[in-house]
Amino acid sequence: MYKDLEGKTAVITGGNSGIGAAIAERLGKEHMNIVINYRKNLDSAKTTAEIVKQNGGKVIIKQGDISQDGIADELIDAAVKEFGEMDIFFNNAGMETQKPTHEVSLDEWNRVISVNLNGTFLGTKAAINYWIKNNKQGNVINTSSVHQQIPWPTFASYAASKGGIKLFTETTAMEYAKKNIRINQICPGAINTPINAEKFSDPAAYAETASMVPMGRIGKPEEVSAGAAWLASDESSYVTGQSLFIDGGMVLYPAFQDGKG
Ligand code: NAD
């Protein structure tokens, strides 16, 4: 538990599912106020909201496509209206599509970039504007991926979006450090969430991915939200512009494990 988080307010984009839902549930345990943003699945947003309440947090649900200009501002307005403040903004929502790059249409490319990268830009921009206008310190936490670093053939739009988030996080962290606005990113490895549930339901596919992780297993959303809570808290008060890899060692060149190579 991080005592300083109690009573603070966080907005979580894509907070209805997977890693975003785990972050909402964890911050509920910290007795925070949460705005769960969802795009399509209201039922999962309601289920997550129930768990947040059971965990001791307060919560509202707000629909919106975060790739559209103005939606992040609406989420912040809703937070302030309900809870009186907005302290932490999680740019968590994301998507991926798989196709050989030479077959990807411009529309397909733009969709991934607009949700993952433009959505992160729009959320960060709205949050910074709110804090500057109100003369407050702030905290942005982006969800990047090990694929900000590891190339991923047939997922070029996803890898490009996450690589973009990396330098966007580092650049904005430097740009707003003097205003006491911290900006960091979590970089999950292979985590068992709906984004890859279909793939991991196949034991062979699960085993193949697990074999690419030095710790030999797929991660749990709760293991990611634990890192997110630390970045949200004042325990990380001197940390900005950083990538927190939560990946069982996936970025450590696992092919070299056991002295191979
Ligand atoms: P998920 O599919 O469960 O969650 C994705 C969330 O993003 C959903 O809530 C979805 O509704 C939301 N979303 C998508 N487009 C949106 C839009 N336009 N507007 C608002 N919300 C939108 O998958 P997840 O694994 O929980 O993914 C969360 C984040 O974690 C993503 O950014 C993803 O790239 C990243 N990530 C996941 C893994 C993994 O292995 N699961 C690994 C690395 C990074």
Side-chain angles (χ1 to χ4, degrees), residues 40-161:
K40 279 201 294 210
N41 191 336
L42 176 59
D43 284 347
S44 63
K46 283 183 177 165
T47 305
T48 307
E50 249 340 284
I51 299 171
V52 170
K53 280 191 229 161
Q54 284 162 16
N55 287 354
K58 293 186 183 145
V59 63
I60 57 170
I61 295 169
K62 186 105 177 90
Q63 197 277 335
D65 177 343
I66 52 92
S67 67
Q68 302 302 307
D69 202 4
I71 297 298
D73 304 270
E74 286 179 15
L75 299 177
I76 293 168
D77 287 349
V80 174
K81 193 168 166 223
E82 184 72 18
F83 303 121
E85 185 53 281
M86 194 283 293
D87 303 286
I88 302 158
F89 198 100
F90 285 87
N91 289 302
N92 165 78
M95 61 173 293
E96 63 187 37
T97 56
Q98 180 172 23
K99 218 181 221 189
T101 303
H102 65 282
E103 294 174 8
V104 172
S105 71
L106 182 58
D107 279 352
E108 289 166 335
W109 172 270
N110 281 342
R111 185 68 193 139
V112 175
I113 297 294
S114 73
V115 173
N116 296 5
L117 186 55
N118 297 356
T120 300
F121 157 66
L122 291 168
T124 304
K125 179 183 164 185
I128 290 172
N129 270 314
Y130 169 77
W131 292 318
I132 288 178
K133 195 169 143 207
N134 292 284
N135 204 19
K136 305 237 181 225
Q137 63 179 45
N139 190 345
V140 174
I141 299 160
N142 299 323
T143 306
S144 182
S145 164
V146 289
H147 295 296
Q148 70 172 33
Q149 185 167 320
I150 304 175
W152 203 13
T154 70
F155 289 90
S157 57
Y158 184 80
S161 72

Side-chain angles (χ1 to χ4, degrees), residues 1-4 182 229-239:
M1 292 281 290
Y2 299 107
K3 267 309 214 185
D4 64 279
R182 297 195 293 124
W230 177 73
L231 282 174
S233 81
D234 286 347
E235 292 290 304
S236 60
S237 56
Y238 203 47
V239 179

